[in-house]
């Protein structure tokens, strides 16, 4: 082949595949995001050679390697494309008109007439680019260090918590988020702190884009929940924490969930055949909790309550002593080979009897849960014989949530949280106290986290007299 005149080599650049930039856009114009890239392609002269040529050009690193763009494309010639002919997109450095940019493998395939190099116009539009791509082409460069990228998802709802510098772009952000997340139908933005205006942990919000319907169904730990997102507290990012706590429970134990919400601890625990007394002050949460209990068929194990948490800590402990309940665990009998009716009654293989004391208390109200701890003082005063060494039962573990600052080691935070617990219980607890665990759950701000403090209720607190 006669060598052709050299032309400047085109270097691939990350910006080559970036969307066009418009820093003045305030209303999303999807038609603005269009771009045509002049590339080269290897036309496959015989369809049966596609796999062979693609494999060889992958090994020689001649193919275009860009996310979301397949290397196999219809032939750029309309007639050939209508016949089903294909081509392979080549990296930008390869120019069809300049053989000096061709690798030895390309030259070999051209010489053998397996391929022909042709121009190819790659058209990109709004649908090609990601949420991050679009936002970085719209937002001011100085605001791109911490672009809004995360959100709480509950069913079809995306819940944003935009910082003040991004509020002028909130409708743009919501529109792009809605476009780029097929499962999202509604985008809202929180306009105050959770629980700042009421004790139900709900918040005021504004609808930014999509369907105003906030009735959702979510699935967590194999359980289904239905609720109105504006009327209850739900955070899908806490699923790992819900799972961690539920894993601490054992079949047949009794657990008191003081601020149960719609039941993300209680209902999965019921699935584990744990007896749960689940309480929430919010009537909407209580209604959704009852629905979840029925929906997930755990009514034998989970009882819902709608009471004040301070009172519930004490009243539930007293009521549990006076309440008897049991559940038979059965083995299904085999069906008769010629009938669909049972041949015998299910066999009871085990009976679980509800204990008279709780093994665990959960206080999941980070903004104020520590203030509920004084309710544990004297909880079992005069009832020492309910617990070891008189019985096999231990005093309950308490899992209380709170906010605190965060650091690399959280050592100071652990000391501070234990000091707050000690003040509430009027008894010293430290990070070194046996069975004390201060667990960082997740960040809620750059210097703020949710923590879960777990500790065994001290005898000096539980049995303290008036």
């Amino acid at each position: 082949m006669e060598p052709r005149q050299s032309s400047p080599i085109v270097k691939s650049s990350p910006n080559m595949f970036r969307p066009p930039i418009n820093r003045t856009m305030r209303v999303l114009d999807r038609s603005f995001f269009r771009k045509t890239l002049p590339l080269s392609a290897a036309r496959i002269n015989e369809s049966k050679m596609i796999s062979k040529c693609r494999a060889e050009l992958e090994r020689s690193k001649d193919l275009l390697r860009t996310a979301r763009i397949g290397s196999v494309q219809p032939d750029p010639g309309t007639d050939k494309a209508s016949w089903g002919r294909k081509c392979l997109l080549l990296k930008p450095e390869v120019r069809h008109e300049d053989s000096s940019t061709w690798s030895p493998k390309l030259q070999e395939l051209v010489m053998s007439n397996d391929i022909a190099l042709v121009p190819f116009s790659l058209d990109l539009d709004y649908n090609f680019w990601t949420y991050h791509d679009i936002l970085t082409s719209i937002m001011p460069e100085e605001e791109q260090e911490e672009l809004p990228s995360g959100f709480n998802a509950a069913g079809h709802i995306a819940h944003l918590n935009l910082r003040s510098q991004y509020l002028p772009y909130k409708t743009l952000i919501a529109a792009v988020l809605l476009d780029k997340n097929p499962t999202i139908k509604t985008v809202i933005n929180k306009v105050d702190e959770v629980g700042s205006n009421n004790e139900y942990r709900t918040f005021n919000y504004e609808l930014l884009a999509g369907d105003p319907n906030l009735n959702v169904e979510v699935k967590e730990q194999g359980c289904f929940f239905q609720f109105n997102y504006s009327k209850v507290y739900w955070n899908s990012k806490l699923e790992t924490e819900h799972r961690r706590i539920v894993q601490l429970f054992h079949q047949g134990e009794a657990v008191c969930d003081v601020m149960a919400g719609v039941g993300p601890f209680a209902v999965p625990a019921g699935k584990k055949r744990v007896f749960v007394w689940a309480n929430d002050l919010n009537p909407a949460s209580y209604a959704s909790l009852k629905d979840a209990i029925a929906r997930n068929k755990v009514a034998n194990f989970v009882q819902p309550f709608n009471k004040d948490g301070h009172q519930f800590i004490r009243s539930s402990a007293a009521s549990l002593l006076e309440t008897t309940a049991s559940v038979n665990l059965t083995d299904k009998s085999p069906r008769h080979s010629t009938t669909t009716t049972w041949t015998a009654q299910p066999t009871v293989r085990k009976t679980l009897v509800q204990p008279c004391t709780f093994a665990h208390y959960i206080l999941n109200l980070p903004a104020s849960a520590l203030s509920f701890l004084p309710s544990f003082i004297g909880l079992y005063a005069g009832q020492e014989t309910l617990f070891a060494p008189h019985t096999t039962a231990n005093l309950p573990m308490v899992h209380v949530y709170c906010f605190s600052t965060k650091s690399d080691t959280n050592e100071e935070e652990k000391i501070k949280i234990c000091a707050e617990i000690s003040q509430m219980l009027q008894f010293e607890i430290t990070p070194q106290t046996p069975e004390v665990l201060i667990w960082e759950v997740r960040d809620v701000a750059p210097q703020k986290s949710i923590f879960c403090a777990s500790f065994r209720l001290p005898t000096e607190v539980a049995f303290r007299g008036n």
Side-chain angles (χ1 to χ4, degrees):
M1 173 177 292
E2 293 293 329
R4 301 178 185 176
Q5 183 179 0
S6 283
S7 61
I9 295 177
V10 178
K11 294 292 185 182
S12 178
S13 165
N15 293 329
M16 183 177 187
F17 294 93
R18 301 290 293 169
I21 292 173
N22 185 342
R23 307 285 184 210
T24 63
M25 187 179 292
R26 292 297 178 269
V27 177
L28 182 61
D29 179 6
R30 296 170 183 82
S31 64
F32 172 80
F33 298 97
R34 296 182 182 277
K35 198 172 193 178
T36 299
L37 302 180
L39 299 175
S40 297
R43 170 177 285 158
I44 308 300
N45 290 328
E46 294 187 45
S47 297
K48 65 181 182 181
M49 298 297 293
I50 291 177
S51 296
K52 173 181 178 295
C53 292
R54 179 167 59 178
E56 294 189 15
L57 293 177
E58 280 180 348
R59 285 194 293 270
S60 64
K61 298 183 179 179
D62 285 306
L63 292 183
L64 177 68
R65 293 187 177 185
T66 299
R68 304 184 307 283
I69 299 177
S71 59
V72 179
Q73 296 285 333
D75 191 282
T78 304
D79 290 342
K80 287 182 170 57
S82 68
W83 301 336
R85 298 284 288 277
K86 303 291 184 183
C87 68
L88 299 170
L89 294 187
L90 302 174
K91 61 186 181 182
E93 293 86 348
V94 177
R95 308 304 300 170
H96 65 280
E97 77 280 5
D98 184 358
S99 60
S100 68
T101 65
W102 303 358
S103 70
K105 177 53 68 177
L106 276 172
Q107 294 185 37
E108 175 189 327
L109 291 174
V110 170
M111 289 293 293
S112 64
N113 202 34
D114 289 330
I115 64 172
L117 267 59
V118 295
F120 189 97
S121 295
L122 180 64
D123 295 321
L124 304 179
D125 62 15
Y126 177 80
N127 294 323
F128 167 74
W129 287 293
T130 66
Y131 169 84
H132 185 269
D133 292 336
I134 298 297
L135 284 193
T136 53
S137 72
I138 297 173
M139 303 289 287
E141 292 185 84
E142 63 271 18
E143 301 293 356
Q144 293 189 17
E145 186 173 344
E146 295 183 0
L147 281 175
S149 57
F151 55 86
N152 287 333
H156 65 277
I157 298 172
H159 164 202
L160 296 172
N161 186 12
L162 294 176
R163 297 181 183 178
S164 58
Q165 66 265 38
Y166 297 115
L167 292 179
Y169 311 96
K170 61 186 180 182
T171 55
L172 267 176
I173 292 169
V176 178
L177 189 153
L178 199 63
D179 287 342
K180 301 300 179 179
N181 293 271
T183 61
I184 298 300
K185 306 300 180 186
T186 304
V187 182
I188 62 174
N189 182 48
K190 183 171 69 174
V191 296
D192 59 18
E193 291 299 318
V194 172
S196 62
N197 294 327
N198 61 71
E199 55 191 337
Y200 296 158
R201 288 188 289 179
T202 57
F203 57 89
N204 292 322
Y205 69 92
E206 57 181 338
L207 177 68
L208 298 183
D211 188 345
N213 175 27
L214 298 189
N215 292 312
V216 301
E217 179 174 326
V218 299
K219 181 180 181 182
E220 184 174 295
Q221 298 186 69
C223 301
F224 292 91
F225 302 88
Q226 282 191 353
F227 49 84
N228 185 297
Y229 191 66
S230 67
K231 296 180 179 180
V232 306
Y233 178 79
W234 179 270
N235 189 336
S236 297
K237 293 182 178 180
L238 294 176
E239 179 174 4
T240 299
E241 177 62 11
H242 298 153
R243 190 183 304 276
R244 182 184 74 88
I245 293 295
V246 171
Q247 286 175 344
L248 301 176
F249 307 154
H250 297 98
Q251 178 177 282
E253 287 184 331
V255 170
C256 182
D257 192 350
V258 182
M259 302 97 173
V262 301
F265 291 109
V267 175
K271 286 279 191 180
K272 287 185 65 174
R273 298 165 177 165
V274 174
F275 294 97
V276 184
W277 287 31
N279 174 71
D280 203 273
L281 182 63
N282 181 354
S285 295
Y286 172 66
S288 295
L289 172 62
K290 290 198 297 181
D291 175 81
I293 291 170
R295 186 178 302 277
N296 294 282
K297 301 178 181 179
V298 293
N300 286 341
F301 290 97
V302 183
Q303 296 186 58
F305 298 87
N306 180 213
K307 298 182 178 181
D308 172 78
H310 296 277
Q311 298 173 5
F312 187 69
I313 290 172
R314 303 191 74 85
S315 65
S316 61
S319 296
L320 186 64
L321 286 171
E322 302 171 355
T323 303
T324 59
S326 62
V327 178
N328 291 329
L329 305 184
T330 61
D331 290 325
K332 290 183 179 180
S333 299
R335 293 180 183 271
H336 191 276
S337 59
T338 60
T339 182
T340 58
T341 60
W342 297 108
T343 58
Q345 290 295 321
T347 302
V348 177
R349 59 181 173 82
K350 188 176 184 180
T351 298
L352 296 178
V353 178
Q354 181 176 261
C356 63
T357 60
F358 292 113
H360 298 266
Y361 281 83
I362 309 169
L363 287 78
N364 182 23
L365 190 66
S368 60
L370 292 176
S371 68
F372 287 72
L373 293 180
S375 297
F376 287 96
I377 297 175
L379 185 66
Y380 288 108
Q383 298 175 317
E384 291 85 350
T385 56
L386 292 173
F387 302 96
H390 307 286
T391 70
T392 58
N394 292 314
L395 281 164
M397 290 293 296
V398 178
H399 311 281
V400 58
Y401 289 82
C402 62
F403 293 118
S404 186
T405 58
K406 55 171 292 187
S407 62
D408 291 341
T409 64
N410 286 328
E411 292 304 318
E412 290 299 320
E413 285 75 13
K414 292 177 182 179
I415 293 172
K416 177 184 176 183
I417 291 169
C418 285
E420 293 180 33
I421 293 172
S422 300
Q423 181 181 4
M424 291 295 171
L425 295 179
Q426 300 171 30
F427 180 83
E428 185 179 20
I429 286 179
T430 72
Q432 289 73 43
T433 300
E435 297 188 278
V436 167
L437 174 66
I438 310 299
W439 180 268
E440 184 178 6
V441 178
R442 65 179 297 269
D443 296 348
V444 293
Q447 299 300 321
K448 183 179 179 182
S449 284
I450 299 175
F451 289 83
C452 176
S454 297
F455 61 92
R456 178 81 60 188
L457 186 64
T459 57
E460 295 86 347
V461 175
F463 302 142
R464 189 182 304 166
N466 295 328

